[in-house]
Amino acid sequence: MKKIYSSILLLLLVTTFVTAQTTSHKKKQAETKSSTFNCPKFRELKWGSIKDSILINGAAPTFVKAKLKEDTCAYFIQDDDMTIGTVVCKNIYYSFNGAGRLVKVRMVVPKAQKSDMKFILESKFEKATTIFDLSNAYELIWNNIEEVRLTLTDYDDPTIDFVTVEFTSDFEMTEAKKINRSVDDF
């Protein structure tokens, strides 16, 4: 009889231990879920800002139309600060929609500084949530940022000596989400 009680007790202890380990493991998995980040602006420019009303350090910047075939709504700022941390960009382009609202920032970064830029992005927004292997490039995409979609594109072509980092905003959808999250009708 004593052996039966000992066996039952041992079985209960083992079951409790296994249950505790399983529950603990599930909690760890939930804790490693990727975070959601906010990026309501690029430098001092809020997404959706009207180009003609933008002020940087209290002054209106001079936006110069860029001559880009792939983005006819792109501008650069005359005498813009090209540094992001230790990275010195070749260009920073600001794109505006038909209503003149800021919807995209595209940075052109020398390939030699790709790892520094990737480190900056991963430090701010964790690792990319998606990687696409394209025919001539690969893209790292961060879908864990509320206000923007962030993409780093690295081209396989050895004649292209840069990578691009693009912040693309759907500020109208973001604003609608803010309004809809604060509904108090029900």
Side-chain angles (χ1 to χ4, degrees), residues 155-171:
Y155 303 93
D156 289 332
D157 186 339
T159 63
I160 299 176
D161 65 343
F162 61 86
V163 297
T164 61
V165 175
E166 218 169 78
F167 291 86
T168 307
S169 170
D170 186 349
F171 72 93

Side-chain angles (χ1 to χ4, degrees), residues 51 62-78 80 82 90-96 104-108:
K51 181 172 64 101
T62 303
F63 285 101
V64 179
K65 185 90 168 134
K67 296 175 183 162
L68 300 174
K69 289 184 278 186
E70 68 274 9
D71 189 353
T72 59
C73 300
Y75 293 80
F76 61 90
I77 296 176
Q78 188 174 339
D80 201 0
M82 292 294 165
K90 289 182 171 193
N91 300 95
I92 300 176
Y93 297 107
Y94 304 85
S95 296
F96 298 87
K104 181 170 42 173
V105 172
R106 181 176 184 230
M107 299 180 290
V108 180

Side-chain angles (χ1 to χ4, degrees), residues 50-185:
I50 297 172
K51 181 172 64 101
D52 296 334
S53 69
I54 291 175
L55 297 176
I56 298 175
N57 296 324
T62 303
F63 285 101
V64 179
K65 185 90 168 134
K67 296 175 183 162
L68 300 174
K69 289 184 278 186
E70 68 274 9
D71 189 353
T72 59
C73 300
Y75 293 80
F76 61 90
I77 296 176
Q78 188 174 339
D79 301 321
D80 201 0
D81 178 6
M82 292 294 165
T83 58
I84 305 290
T86 60
V87 175
V88 180
C89 299
K90 289 182 171 193
N91 300 95
I92 300 176
Y93 297 107
Y94 304 85
S95 296
F96 298 87
N97 66 10
R101 293 182 170 273
L102 180 66
V103 293
K104 181 170 42 173
V105 172
R106 181 176 184 230
M107 299 180 290
V108 180
V109 177
K111 258 198 186 183
Q113 294 190 295
K114 174 182 78 171
S115 61
D116 291 337
M117 179 54 76
K118 187 177 171 194
F119 176 81
I120 291 168
L121 297 174
E122 288 178 347
S123 294
K124 294 236 5 138
F125 307 115
E126 294 181 350
K127 291 197 179 292
T129 55
T130 308
I131 300 174
F132 283 114
D133 192 3
L134 307 173
S135 61
N136 64 343
Y138 74 88
E139 287 184 336
L140 302 175
I141 299 172
W142 284 259
N143 288 317
N144 57 341
I145 308 170
E146 283 283 326
E147 295 82 1
V148 294
R149 176 184 169 124
L150 172 59
T151 307
L152 183 146
T153 306
D154 187 1
Y155 303 93
D156 289 332
D157 186 339
T159 63
I160 299 176
D161 65 343
F162 61 86
V163 297
T164 61
V165 175
E166 218 169 78
F167 291 86
T168 307
S169 170
D170 186 349
F171 72 93
E172 291 161 330
M173 182 179 68
T174 301
E175 289 302 310
K177 281 182 181 179
K178 286 178 187 174
I179 293 167
N180 290 337
R181 284 183 182 139
S182 65
V183 167
D184 61 0
D185 296 325

